[in-house]
């Protein structure tokens, strides 16, 4: 089994009022999470990053990525048109989620999209987390890569898309990152710390925890949603966080 992760960030023009300060924090948090035992002990050569990239670079990377499992993470601006969600990959170019999916040529993929899904971006309020997230305390735990790959091998083929909010909603952002990304990683870290035995938290379970956290922080205005694309129309339950017993 092989795996690859592609991290995409697009915060908007640097000096504009719409610049998303939290995108850098999102990318830092997510990569740190992946490299930790909680996130599957990913190696540097398994993770690629694209920041405000031209469309041709994005297309080239996706089309040249051959692997058994692909994890795609996006943080940045986006909007909803009459048909679907679109993400801004740089300051002047956007692609739709269906276009993104068409670039994926792997049997199993998890796409996490932290962006707005409204037709027009409105003013919004947001919560601030207490601190930047840290996964350093978990580095003395066993390497979880083998367990992660085992779960992927046993999972059903298909694509699972985790949206930070439902259609018509705003995905809030602070200097600590997108509220969904922060909630997803923070509640997964809390889950890890509360586990006494070996266990696996699927993306569906992680999304449920993040949703519960966001309910009170966003006054029920941001509701994450998971969409599954596969022949059997079932939840794929790809792994998101892993707890292994200490050596």
């Amino acid at each position: 089994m092989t795996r690859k992760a592609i991290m995409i960030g697009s915060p908007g023009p640097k000096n504009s009022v719409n610049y998303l300060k939290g995108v850098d924090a999102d990318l830092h948090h997510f990569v740190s999470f992946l490299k930790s035992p909680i996130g599957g002990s990913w190696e540097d050569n398994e993770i690629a990053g694209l920041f405000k990239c031209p469309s041709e670079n994005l297309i080239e990377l996706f089309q040249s990525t051959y692997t058994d499992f692909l994890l795609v993470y996006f943080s940045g601006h986006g909007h909803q048109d009459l048909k679907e969600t679109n993400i801004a990959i740089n300051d002047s170019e956007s692609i739709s989620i269906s276009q993104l999916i068409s670039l994926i040529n792997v049997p199993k993929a998890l796409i996490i999209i932290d962006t707005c899904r409204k037709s027009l971006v409105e003013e919004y309020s947001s919560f601030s987390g207490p601190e930047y997230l840290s996964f350093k305390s978990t580095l003395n735990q066993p390497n979880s890569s083998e367990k992660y790959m085992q779960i992927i091998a046993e999972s059903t083929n298909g694509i699972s898309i985790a949206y930070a909010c439902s259609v018509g909603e705003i995905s809030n952002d602070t200097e600590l990152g997108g509220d969904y990304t922060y909630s997803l990683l923070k509640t997964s870290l809390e889950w890890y710390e509360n586990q006494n035995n070996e266990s696996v938290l699927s993306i569906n379970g992680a999304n449920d925890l993040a949703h519960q956290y966001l309910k009170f922080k966003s006054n029920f205005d941001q509701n994450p949603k998971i969409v599954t694309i596969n022949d059997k129309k079932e939840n794929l339950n790809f792994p998101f966080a892993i707890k292994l017993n200490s050596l």
Side-chain angles (χ1 to χ4, degrees):
M1 289 291 297
T2 59
R3 63 184 180 181
K4 292 288 184 181
I6 299 177
M7 307 284 104
I8 308 171
S10 183
K14 181 70 173 180
N15 297 317
S16 73
V17 294
N18 293 323
Y19 184 76
L20 300 176
K21 297 179 181 179
V23 170
D24 284 335
D26 280 340
L27 296 175
H28 171 75
H29 281 154
F30 215 96
V31 171
S32 297
F33 172 78
L34 290 180
K35 290 182 177 180
S36 75
I38 306 177
S41 300
W42 292 64
E43 300 289 342
D44 287 333
N45 61 7
E46 295 178 313
I47 304 172
L50 296 171
F51 191 79
K52 298 176 69 171
C53 66
S55 58
E56 57 266 26
N57 291 11
L58 181 143
I59 292 171
E60 180 181 3
L61 176 59
F62 272 84
Q63 290 182 339
S64 62
T65 299
Y66 304 100
T67 186
D68 296 308
F69 175 71
L70 177 65
L71 191 160
V72 180
Y73 172 76
F74 174 82
S75 174
H77 283 291
H79 71 277
Q80 186 78 13
D81 62 21
L82 293 177
K83 295 182 178 180
E84 60 181 318
T85 302
N86 296 264
I87 56 175
I89 57 175
N90 55 51
D91 295 347
S92 59
E93 294 182 292
S94 296
I95 65 170
S96 67
I97 297 302
S98 63
Q99 289 174 316
L100 181 67
I101 292 172
S102 71
L103 298 175
I104 296 175
N105 188 28
V106 303
K108 302 172 184 180
L110 169 60
I111 305 172
I112 299 175
I113 304 291
D114 196 343
T115 195
C116 297
R117 302 182 73 193
K118 287 183 70 71
S119 297
L120 296 174
V121 177
E122 302 172 352
E123 293 293 326
Y124 59 88
S125 59
S126 179
F127 77 94
S128 293
E131 59 186 2
Y132 285 94
L133 299 174
S134 173
F135 304 97
K136 294 180 180 179
S137 62
T138 69
L139 294 180
N140 61 340
Q141 300 298 315
N143 186 298
S144 60
S145 176
E146 183 177 345
K147 181 66 174 178
Y148 191 103
M149 300 293 251
Q150 176 190 337
I151 300 167
I152 290 296
E154 296 171 351
S155 64
T156 304
N157 288 0
I159 298 175
S160 184
I161 309 171
Y163 289 104
C165 59
S166 296
V167 173
E169 296 179 347
I170 288 289
S171 177
N172 294 325
D173 174 85
T174 73
E175 68 278 1
L176 294 180
D179 291 358
Y180 176 64
T181 297
Y182 189 91
S183 301
L184 192 67
L185 298 180
K186 178 179 174 59
T187 55
S188 294
L189 182 59
E190 293 173 347
W191 167 89
Y192 177 92
E193 293 173 341
N194 290 329
Q195 295 297 312
N196 294 321
N197 301 311
E198 291 192 5
S199 187
V200 176
L201 179 66
S202 70
I203 182 59
N204 298 76
N207 185 75
D208 288 343
L209 291 177
H211 192 186
Q212 292 299 317
Y213 189 86
L214 278 172
K215 276 184 179 179
F216 303 101
K217 297 299 183 180
S218 70
N219 194 30
F220 295 86
D221 290 334
Q222 184 172 342
N223 299 281
K225 182 178 180 61
I226 289 186
V227 176
T228 298
I229 303 173
N230 73 335
D231 294 336
K232 297 182 179 180
K233 306 297 183 184
E234 63 184 18
N235 289 336
L236 299 177
N237 285 326
F238 291 135
F240 187 75
I242 296 175
K243 174 63 179 283
L244 296 180
N245 291 332
S246 300
L247 294 175

